[in-house]
């Protein structure tokens, strides 16, 4: 019994005094919260739609996810400041592109995710148990990044589905998480898809997490994340040989905004 009390008393002391302990505590708490969220949403998706359906995500956001995510953000000490929401008010399908820093990006996605919008994710996520199943039920499109031909065929099929079912797509064009305080070069898949479907691209920029979150330094403090949604970039009339120019245009624009909003991002959550 004494050992139990000592352990319980030690936790707040370690949270206050050890940055490394705080990092692991918050990281574990976050992933446990995501698993619990998935466990709650899986039966709701099955009861509502009978299985995989793009409408599941909006239904869950309105009734479950937003409530739970608000509490997760509070426990993590995170605050999101969003600007440019009006730029998501585009009729029909479009492709959202955003920079990718960590799994915390999911919290930001839930702040702004428009109707009938699904994410593109690496196939490995499908194998993560409850979280992978919940993502699949929500319509997430899984791509094997190691097989370029498979990825291209999936993206081509996705372009057709976007137009047929009026679906929006959220893509991380860096292709992997990036903690370096800058943007990695963009892969071309999202831009080929947008050009093929002749749909607009809406860039969304997350400010740098480096002032409060760093897996390398085992740091996870409270902090503010800025999301800036930029005006839609039209692709009507573009052809495949315009893809590189389009990708560079988006990259340079988002990198400039990333530097701008990250310089002003610091301080504790409020």
């Amino acid at each position: 019994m004494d050992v139990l009390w000592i352990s319980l008393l030690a936790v707040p002391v370690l949270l206050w005094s050890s940055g490394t302990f705080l990092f692991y505590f918050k990281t574990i708490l976050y992933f446990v919260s995501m698993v619990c969220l998935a466990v709650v949403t899986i039966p709701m998706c099955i009861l509502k739609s009978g299985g995989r359906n793009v409408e599941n995500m909006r239904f869950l956001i309105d009734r479950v996810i937003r409530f739970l995510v608000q509490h997760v953000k509070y426990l993590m000490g995170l605050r999101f400041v969003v600007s440019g929401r009006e730029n998501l008010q585009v009729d029909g399908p479009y492709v959202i592109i955003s920079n990718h820093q960590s799994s915390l990006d999911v919290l930001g996605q839930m702040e702004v995710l428009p109707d009938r919008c699904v994410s593109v994710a690496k196939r490995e996520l499908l194998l993560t148990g409850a979280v992978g199943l919940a993502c699949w039920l929500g319509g997430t499109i899984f791509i094997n990044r190691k097989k370029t031909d498979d990825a291209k065929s999936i993206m081509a099929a996705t372009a057709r589905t976007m137009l047929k079912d009026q679906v929006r797509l959220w893509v991380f064009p860096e292709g992997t998480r990036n903690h370096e305080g800058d943007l990695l070069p963009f892969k071309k898949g999202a831009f080929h898809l947008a050009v093929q479907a002749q749909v607009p691209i809406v860039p969304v920029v997350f400010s740098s997490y480096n002032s409060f979150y760093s897996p390398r330094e085992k740091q996870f403090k409270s902090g503010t994340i800025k999301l800036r949604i930029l005006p839609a970039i039209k692709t009507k009339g573009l052809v495949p040989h315009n893809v590189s120019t389009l990708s560079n245009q988006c990259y340079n624009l988002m990198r400039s905004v990333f530097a701008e909003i990250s310089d002003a991002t610091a301080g504790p959550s409020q």
Side-chain angles (χ1 to χ4, degrees):
M1 196 66 173
D2 290 340
V3 173
L4 176 61
W5 279 108
I6 291 173
S7 299
L8 292 174
L9 291 172
V11 170
V13 173
L14 288 170
L15 288 173
W16 179 77
S17 62
S18 172
T20 300
F21 183 84
L22 180 63
F23 171 83
Y24 284 112
F25 181 86
K26 281 190 173 183
T27 299
I28 293 170
L29 182 62
Y30 176 71
F31 284 109
V32 169
S33 299
M34 291 299 101
V35 171
C36 291
L37 178 58
V39 169
V40 169
T41 59
I42 287 169
M44 295 185 69
C45 288
I46 295 172
L47 289 172
K48 178 187 180 295
S49 304
R52 179 178 169 87
N53 192 312
V54 68
E55 295 291 352
N56 281 335
M57 187 56 68
R58 175 51 52 191
F59 170 79
L60 292 170
I61 287 175
D62 290 341
R63 290 164 175 77
V64 181
I65 294 176
R66 184 171 288 117
F67 173 78
L68 293 177
V69 164
Q70 290 293 336
H71 287 78
V72 173
K73 289 190 301 181
Y74 176 79
L75 291 172
M76 298 295 104
L78 299 177
R79 175 174 177 250
F80 287 85
V81 177
V82 180
S83 60
R85 287 183 187 271
E86 67 279 3
N87 292 319
L88 289 173
Q89 304 306 311
V90 178
D91 292 335
Y94 52 83
V95 176
I96 297 174
I97 57 172
S98 70
N99 54 316
H100 188 24
Q101 298 177 80
S102 86
S103 60
L104 297 177
D105 298 340
V106 172
L107 300 179
Q109 282 186 282
M110 295 303 104
E111 292 279 333
V112 301
L113 197 74
D115 290 340
R116 299 189 64 78
C117 183
V118 299
S119 296
V120 173
K122 60 183 180 180
R123 191 183 63 174
E124 289 83 353
L125 180 61
L126 187 57
L127 306 177
T128 58
V131 173
L133 178 56
C135 290
W136 182 82
L137 288 169
T140 297
I141 297 169
F142 297 97
I143 290 179
N144 186 350
R145 295 180 301 182
K146 296 178 181 178
K147 293 186 177 181
T148 305
D149 290 341
D150 287 353
K152 286 181 177 179
S153 64
I154 290 173
M155 293 301 258
T158 300
R160 294 190 293 270
T161 301
M162 286 181 69
L163 299 176
K164 177 177 176 288
D165 298 334
Q166 296 293 288
V167 174
R168 287 87 182 249
L169 204 66
W170 190 303
V171 184
F172 298 105
E174 291 171 289
T176 188
R177 299 175 189 176
N178 173 28
H179 308 293
E180 301 306 316
D182 198 355
L183 272 64
L184 295 174
F186 286 171
K187 299 182 183 301
K188 301 296 194 300
F191 306 97
H192 279 291
L193 188 152
V195 168
Q196 183 172 345
Q198 294 285 280
V199 298
I201 292 173
V202 178
V204 175
V205 184
F206 290 73
S207 61
S208 174
Y209 298 174
N210 284 354
S211 65
F212 64 89
Y213 177 75
S214 173
R216 181 182 299 165
E217 298 177 5
K218 300 297 181 288
Q219 173 182 277
F220 196 163
K221 300 183 293 186
S222 298
T224 297
I225 299 169
K226 291 189 175 183
L227 270 73
R228 183 174 296 181
I229 305 163
L230 307 181
I233 298 171
K234 296 180 180 179
T235 65
K236 195 75 172 176
L238 298 184
V239 294
H241 79 256
N242 298 129
V243 164
S244 291
T245 300
L246 177 64
S247 174
N248 291 335
Q249 175 191 354
C250 293
Y251 176 82
N252 291 331
L253 175 62
M254 292 176 64
R255 192 180 185 209
S256 174
V257 172
F258 176 78
E260 178 187 339
I261 63 177
S262 297
D263 287 343
T265 301
S269 174
Q270 296 178 3

